[in-house]
Amino acid sequence: MEDKIWQGFLYDFYGELLNEHQREVYESYIIEDLSLSEIADEVSMSRQGVHDLIKRCNKKLQMYEGKLHLVDKFLHIRDDVSKINELAKEATEDNLSKICDISNDILEEL
């Protein structure tokens, strides 16, 4: 998965655990796709300071994911729901059985 997309997922799940300043800078970089220089001008920091802050935020968000695995669970469930949708298009008895198995796996994971 592309790094920026992964960082976006991490921010979606754990961004509220960052302080307000960290969120502002990280959102500018990940969501608004501003350059380090643009962010530095916006928040009155050096470019290197912005770089270091983003790096620390990434490390912190990765730590949360390493402990909680919420993004991994979400992506796994999203894949399972996609499989269910594909199987539901052809409602054979075998596919219905597979749908039940996948949905049971999702419920157990939740």
Side-chain angles (χ1 to χ4, degrees), residues 78-91:
R78 186 182 71 173
D79 290 344
D80 284 348
V81 170
S82 292
K83 289 176 192 172
I84 288 172
N85 284 335
E86 289 300 313
L87 292 169
K89 290 177 183 176
E90 295 180 33

Side-chain angles (χ1 to χ4, degrees), residues 84-99:
I84 288 172
N85 284 335
E86 289 300 313
L87 292 169
K89 290 177 183 176
E90 295 180 33
T92 64
E93 191 170 320
D94 186 46
N95 282 355
L96 291 176
S97 175
K98 290 177 184 176
I99 288 170

Side-chain angles (χ1 to χ4, degrees), residues 66-78:
K67 293 179 184 222
L68 300 171
H69 307 287
L70 296 177
V71 176
D72 284 336
K73 288 177 185 177
F74 167 77
L75 294 174
H76 180 75
I77 289 170
R78 186 182 71 173

Side-chain angles (χ1 to χ4, degrees), residues 57-73:
C57 288
N58 278 331
K59 189 174 182 177
K60 194 175 207 179
L61 297 174
Q62 288 284 2
M63 179 204 59
Y64 291 134
E65 176 61 13
K67 293 179 184 222
L68 300 171
H69 307 287
L70 296 177
V71 176
D72 284 336
K73 288 177 185 177

Side-chain angles (χ1 to χ4, degrees), residues 26-84:
Y26 202 76
E27 279 183 18
S28 296
Y29 183 69
I30 296 301
I31 297 171
E32 298 173 27
D33 200 29
L34 297 180
S35 70
L36 298 178
S37 297
E38 291 170 322
I39 299 167
D41 289 342
E42 196 174 272
V43 297
S44 301
M45 288 177 66
S46 69
R47 185 187 173 286
Q48 184 63 46
V50 170
H51 177 269
D52 292 345
L53 180 62
I54 290 169
K55 195 172 181 178
R56 284 193 308 274
C57 288
N58 278 331
K59 189 174 182 177
K60 194 175 207 179
L61 297 174
Q62 288 284 2
M63 179 204 59
Y64 291 134
E65 176 61 13
K67 293 179 184 222
L68 300 171
H69 307 287
L70 296 177
V71 176
D72 284 336
K73 288 177 185 177
F74 167 77
L75 294 174
H76 180 75
I77 289 170
R78 186 182 71 173
D79 290 344
D80 284 348
V81 170
S82 292
K83 289 176 192 172
I84 288 172

Side-chain angles (χ1 to χ4, degrees), residues 2-15:
E2 189 180 323
D3 197 42
K4 283 262 188 167
I5 294 171
W6 178 251
Q7 290 172 328
F9 277 123
L10 290 175
Y11 182 76
D12 287 344
F13 280 85
Y14 307 111

